[in-house]
Amino acid sequence: MTDQTVATAIPQPRAAKNKTASAGQWRLIWWRFCQHRVALASGVVILLVYLVAAFAEFLAPTSEQAYDPRFTYAPPQQIRFAGYDADGTFHPLYVNGYSAKIDPIALNRTYVTDPSVIIPVGFFVRGEPYRFWGLFETDRRFIGPLEQGQPFYLFGADRLGRDVLSRTIHGTRISMSVGLVGVTISLILGIFLGGISGLYGGWVDDVIQRGIELLKSIPTIPLWMGLAAAVPISTDPVTVYLWITIILSLIGWTDMARVVRGRFLSLKTEDFVIAAQLDGCSKMRIIWRHMVPSFMSHIIASVTLAIPTMILAETALSFLGIGLRPPVVSWGVLLQEAQNILAVSSAPWLFLPGLAVIITVLALNFLGDGIRDAADPYEY
Amino acid sequence: MTVDADHRQSPLLELRDLKMHFPIRRGAFRRIVGHIKAVDGVSLSVNRGETLGIVGESGCGKSTLARTILRVYHPTGGEISYTGRSGAPIDLATLSGPALKEIHRDIRVVFQDPQSSLNPRLRVIDIIGEVLKVNGIATGSELEDRVAELMRSVGLRPEFMHRYPHAFSGGERQRVSIARALAPEPRLVIADEAVSALDVSVQAQTINLLQDLQERFGLTYLFVAHDLSVVRHISDSVAVMYMGRVVEKAPTDAIFASPRHPYTEALLSAVPTPDPRLRRRGRRIHLAGEVADPANPPSGCPFHPRCRYATGICKSDVPPLRSIATSDHSVACHLADNLKLNPFDEYAFAELH
């Protein structure tokens, strides 16, 4: 039998399948992920949140510490379009100013927005100067009042007259990076220990697995509280931040290690891994070329699902006052300030950072679900 | 067969009392509480250019035997004597490191399920070419040419080498698997249930392909299967396994025409006969019970609890594998000399007319 006759005797894949036929794993995953609309939208949200974290100084109308005692607990303003001020000048974008009212009994000042006062607002206005990424000095801000010093509180003001929106934006950087850094540390620990556990098995596996069970059996909040209490009170905020992320990932790696171990265990006996072994591949080549690509997408999904846990943990710790402390601004620190009856009754806008937490965590969960569903495109 | 007569008589692979026992570990300290004797004293030989079929039901140790020969496992005991290219015998059982890697170019495997034996994340060229790349046989465009040639020889269009396995049908994927096995120009190919996962029509094509390739490249096959009709088509001789032991081995015709072991008889009776005139109604032998627990094998002949001819001696003594009738027909049964067993349907039919 000649080669040609054999070749024509066999039905070959149809031309219509051409696109998927030579599509690699990541392209297949991407196609499948795109069919998951909610996950796709969540991915865009998460991308925006990280952009906010990256360009916090530029996007926030003020710095996180700027205060104005004239406007303590000022309610949120609403952005309005096309209006004329008292002089009859046209303003495409403006907010209303405040008028103070003094409660005759309690003698405290409350602010209400005053429709007769118009504060013109613009994009790329001059504000407080700041160093952008520590690279260069600038005073341009994405949005703000045209005239510096005018009240501009889209999310309202706190007890010192600080802008809650600006603080939430600055808090994004800390909160989101705690998630990323924490997950990175637990990923490294998890892949390393889980990989050893799954690859070598035997007593090594036993020791690591029992260790994980021990760590998981300790209630997290008391453990975190104990560890956080061990961080000296005098340390500077940046070091505290580092310590907190390490403490958080100390628990976080266990789940990652279990995922990695499970993948290694199931792949180790797969025929294609044995085939690679018989092809003469070295152990490292088998791991990196034949095994890791098979579960990388699952790892990415677990990572995405682990970030919200980290964010929530940081928020919880800071909320309890044992995590990050002012002057560092994170969503948890902001929420801690909303932790009194006054906030609930008269300044509910102090809870707005909580909305940021909810949106981010939900979006990350949807995104993670979407990635997990798309992670294995080879279910024929 | 293109391989000349003198070569045919020399065994390429010879197993002597090969054993593969897996420890059963229990408890917190992983104490060994017993052994599963998956392969328990197998002695076989395959001549160059020939095909040895190994049959038996699931769990009889035939796949373990294949993997032990490939040295996926480290054998518990015995010898795997392989005649190297220089003509000198090499004991694979004790080989390791670079020497074993060298042997893995000579002895290749085709797995049962191409779905799991082909990495879905690698392109066909990477799957077939991996062994060439890793062993430094070919790289770059040379590798591409070699893969194209291999794909042509198994009946695949070389233009599809940049596709992923998911773009191929089951039969085509098995061809990729065969091409991978042939890549380093092996001498012995172990087909571990290589056609069992395929449709009957595709099975036939694949078997024909394997036979063509055997002729072209002078390959020796160790063909592991549970389907006797497939084995009969491709094998020169057949070994029947039961609970990790060979219970009967003989040239293919001999085993189909005059089985000497009751287990072989039962297996033959289970083969479906396509021609209704050849069917014998009610002659199928239903074996009672299941294969015994390999961790706790029965005393004496491992087959005796299911054997309809079993007598006292079968319960107490393990029957040795001994020659019967002709020198190349051996059987492990105490009663082999006295039993009149039914042959395969076609032979029975021929006898009647």
Side-chain angles (χ1 to χ4, degrees):
Chain A
M1 206 186 271
T2 65
D3 297 343
Q4 273 63 38
T5 53
V6 178
T8 46
I10 311 309
Q12 299 290 345
R14 286 148 299 283
K17 281 168 75 184
N18 257 333
K19 211 172 90 164
T20 50
S22 51
Q25 120 165 273
W26 297 110
R27 201 144 15 124
L28 289 175
I29 291 176
W30 173 244
W31 284 340
R32 225 164 112 173
F33 178 73
C34 285
Q35 290 169 4
H36 201 311
R37 296 281 161 212
V38 181
L40 199 63
S42 299
V44 173
V45 170
I46 293 306
L47 204 70
L48 289 177
V49 172
Y50 274 109
L51 281 177
V52 167
F55 298 100
E57 293 99 339
F58 171 67
L59 290 170
T62 67
S63 78
E64 71 261 43
Q65 304 303 349
Y67 64 97
D68 192 338
R70 289 177 301 161
F71 300 103
T72 55
Y73 291 123
Q77 292 162 316
Q78 203 186 335
I79 290 218
R80 290 170 194 282
F81 302 96
Y84 296 91
D85 64 12
D87 308 334
T89 321
F90 174 77
H91 296 291
L93 219 58
Y94 68 96
V95 291
N96 291 128
Y98 295 103
S99 59
K101 263 202 292 195
I102 299 193
D103 187 326
I105 302 162
L107 288 177
N108 58 3
R109 276 192 295 181
T110 52
Y111 294 89
V112 286
T113 43
D114 182 353
S116 66
V117 186
I118 280 180
I119 300 166
V121 170
F123 290 107
F124 306 107
V125 292
R126 289 184 180 280
E128 274 174 83
Y130 58 92
R131 282 195 77 80
F132 186 75
W133 287 358
L135 294 175
F136 55 89
E137 189 99 2
T138 175
D139 58 358
R140 288 284 168 193
R141 292 191 180 259
F142 178 63
I143 192 170
L146 290 179
E147 193 185 328
Q148 244 194 81
Q150 292 277 34
F152 182 67
Y153 296 112
L154 293 183
F155 275 17
D158 68 0
R159 70 192 155 84
L160 296 176
R162 295 177 293 199
D163 179 20
V164 175
L165 174 65
S166 297
R167 286 170 70 78
T168 307
I169 290 176
H170 285 287
T172 308
R173 178 171 289 176
I174 300 289
S175 288
M176 294 307 282
S177 66
V178 163
L180 268 194
V181 175
V183 160
T184 310
I185 297 175
S186 36
L187 184 69
I188 294 168
L189 274 173
I191 289 189
F192 184 67
L193 290 167
I196 290 177
S197 195
L199 272 177
Y200 290 96
W203 67 270
V204 182
D205 182 33
D206 272 353
V207 167
I208 293 174
Q209 290 313 307
R210 296 302 89 75
I212 288 176
E213 275 154 31
L214 186 72
L215 268 179
K216 292 201 85 126
S217 67
I218 307 171
T220 45
I221 292 280
L223 178 67
W224 283 334
M225 289 177 83
L227 289 170
V231 179
I233 196 92
S234 56
T235 29
D236 66 301
V238 180
T239 323
V240 172
Y241 165 80
L242 271 176
W243 273 110
I244 295 298
T245 42
I246 291 171
I247 290 168
L248 293 179
S249 46
L250 225 59
I251 301 296
W253 70 269
T254 53
D255 289 315
M256 205 67 73
R258 284 192 166 168
V259 173
V260 174
R261 171 180 177 265
R263 290 283 149 190
F264 267 116
L265 278 184
S266 67
L267 280 172
K268 207 160 65 165
T269 51
E270 279 282 342
D271 282 350
F272 69 78
V273 172
I274 294 175
Q277 193 186 322
L278 295 175
D279 279 346
C281 295
S282 64
K283 205 158 185 112
M284 279 294 134
R285 192 176 168 90
I286 291 176
I287 293 173
W288 290 108
R289 185 170 164 82
H290 297 272
M291 294 172 96
V292 171
S294 304
F295 62 74
M296 212 51 228
S297 50
H298 293 269
I299 297 289
I300 292 172
S302 333
V303 163
T304 322
L305 290 169
I307 294 176
T309 322
M310 290 282 172
I311 293 174
L312 285 178
E314 183 277 321
T315 309
L317 279 187
S318 302
F319 181 78
L320 291 174
I322 50 175
L324 303 174
R325 304 182 201 105
V328 170
V329 182
S330 79
W331 291 340
V333 170
L334 292 178
L335 283 174
Q336 196 205 354
E337 289 175 9
Q339 212 188 57
N340 56 53
I341 189 71
L342 183 71
V344 184
S345 63
S346 62
W349 51 86
L350 290 181
F351 287 108
L352 282 171
L355 197 67
V357 175
I358 292 171
I359 290 173
T360 311
V361 168
L362 275 181
L364 275 167
N365 277 326
F366 284 132
L367 178 69
D369 275 343
I371 297 177
R372 193 177 51 196
D373 290 347
D376 198 355
Y378 299 107
E379 296 154 357
Y380 303 88
Chain B
M1 299 280 154
T2 51
V3 183
D4 49 282
D6 341 323
H7 275 126
R8 291 198 67 169
Q9 291 315 309
S10 62
L12 182 69
L13 182 78
E14 221 176 336
L15 312 178
R16 291 189 204 98
D17 199 25
L18 189 63
K19 286 184 178 132
M20 184 66 234
H21 298 177
F22 294 104
I24 311 166
R25 293 171 194 272
R26 288 237 175 83
F29 299 101
R30 299 183 171 269
R31 210 157 37 86
I32 297 174
V33 294
H35 283 94
I36 290 182
K37 298 178 175 174
V39 175
D40 195 20
V42 167
S43 300
L44 284 173
S45 75
V46 201
N47 287 344
R48 193 165 302 169
E50 286 190 355
T51 302
L52 172 67
I54 296 176
V55 292
E57 63 199 298
S58 307
C60 73
K62 53 193 194 300
S63 281
T64 307
L65 179 68
R67 285 174 186 222
T68 310
I69 297 168
L70 286 161
R71 281 299 310 280
V72 174
Y73 305 133
H74 191 90
T76 316
E79 225 178 281
I80 308 168
S81 172
Y82 169 75
T83 312
R85 284 178 196 267
S86 64
I90 307 163
D91 184 13
L92 303 186
T94 53
L95 226 53
S96 63
L100 188 63
K101 195 175 160 182
E102 191 71 26
I103 287 299
H104 278 151
R105 288 166 56 176
D106 267 16
I107 304 179
R108 299 287 289 169
V109 62
V110 179
F111 288 99
Q112 170 172 13
D113 187 2
Q115 184 103 329
S116 63
S117 72
L118 304 180
N119 189 341
R121 286 157 184 87
L122 293 180
R123 291 169 305 161
V124 164
I125 178 173
D126 296 321
I127 292 171
I128 300 175
E130 184 78 349
V131 65
L132 303 173
K133 208 185 282 176
V134 169
N135 287 297
I137 300 171
T139 49
S141 63
E142 198 187 335
L143 179 99
E144 210 158 299
D145 292 345
R146 178 87 183 102
V147 170
E149 184 195 323
L150 283 161
M151 286 180 78
R152 259 194 300 271
S153 63
V154 297
L156 289 171
R157 303 235 305 259
E159 327 53 302
F160 294 151
M161 69 166 76
H162 293 287
R163 293 190 166 186
Y164 287 83
H166 65 80
F168 295 88
S169 72
E172 287 160 355
R173 275 183 226 156
Q174 198 59 305
R175 284 164 190 264
V176 173
S177 194
I178 293 169
R180 169 175 62 187
L182 297 181
E185 296 176 341
R187 300 165 77 210
L188 174 66
V189 173
I190 298 178
D192 184 5
E193 302 263 13
V195 296
S196 307
L198 306 175
D199 292 348
V200 178
S201 59
V202 182
Q203 257 186 17
Q205 285 180 353
T206 311
I207 287 174
N208 289 337
L209 172 71
L210 284 170
Q211 284 182 323
D212 289 343
L213 293 168
Q214 179 169 41
E215 226 167 288
R216 257 176 76 180
F217 301 114
L219 297 170
T220 306
Y221 286 147
L222 198 69
F223 200 89
V224 177
H226 59 255
D227 186 344
L228 276 165
S229 47
V230 167
V231 167
R232 185 184 173 207
H233 191 71
I234 195 167
S235 306
D236 296 298
S237 50
V238 176
V240 180
M241 278 184 77
Y242 188 78
M243 289 195 69
R245 292 160 188 273
V246 173
V247 294
E248 183 168 7
K249 64 179 178 193
T252 311
D253 277 340
I255 217 159
F256 278 83
S258 57
R260 307 306 289 259
H261 196 283
Y263 181 61
T264 315
E265 182 197 29
L267 281 184
L268 291 179
S269 80
V271 177
T273 317
D275 187 341
R277 287 173 304 162
L278 301 181
R279 268 178 220 157
R280 297 160 299 167
R281 234 173 260 124
R283 298 274 300 273
R284 181 162 297 177
I285 302 163
H286 291 279
L287 289 178
E290 291 287 311
V291 184
D293 177 8
N296 184 23
S299 63
C301 173
F303 186 61
H304 87 258
R306 302 172 78 189
C307 182
R308 50 183 189 164
Y309 308 105
T311 59
I313 188 170
C314 302
K315 291 190 181 75
S316 54
D317 293 0
V318 181
L321 193 65
R322 60 194 165 101
S323 289
I324 191 163
T326 52
S327 66
D328 53 3
H329 196 154
S330 33
V331 63
C333 178
H334 294 299
L335 314 169
D337 296 313
N338 310 322
L339 293 176
K340 174 83 183 81
L341 299 177
N342 288 313
F344 187 53
D345 284 0
E346 281 173 38
Y347 292 92
F349 184 79
E351 251 168 57
L352 288 173
H353 296 268

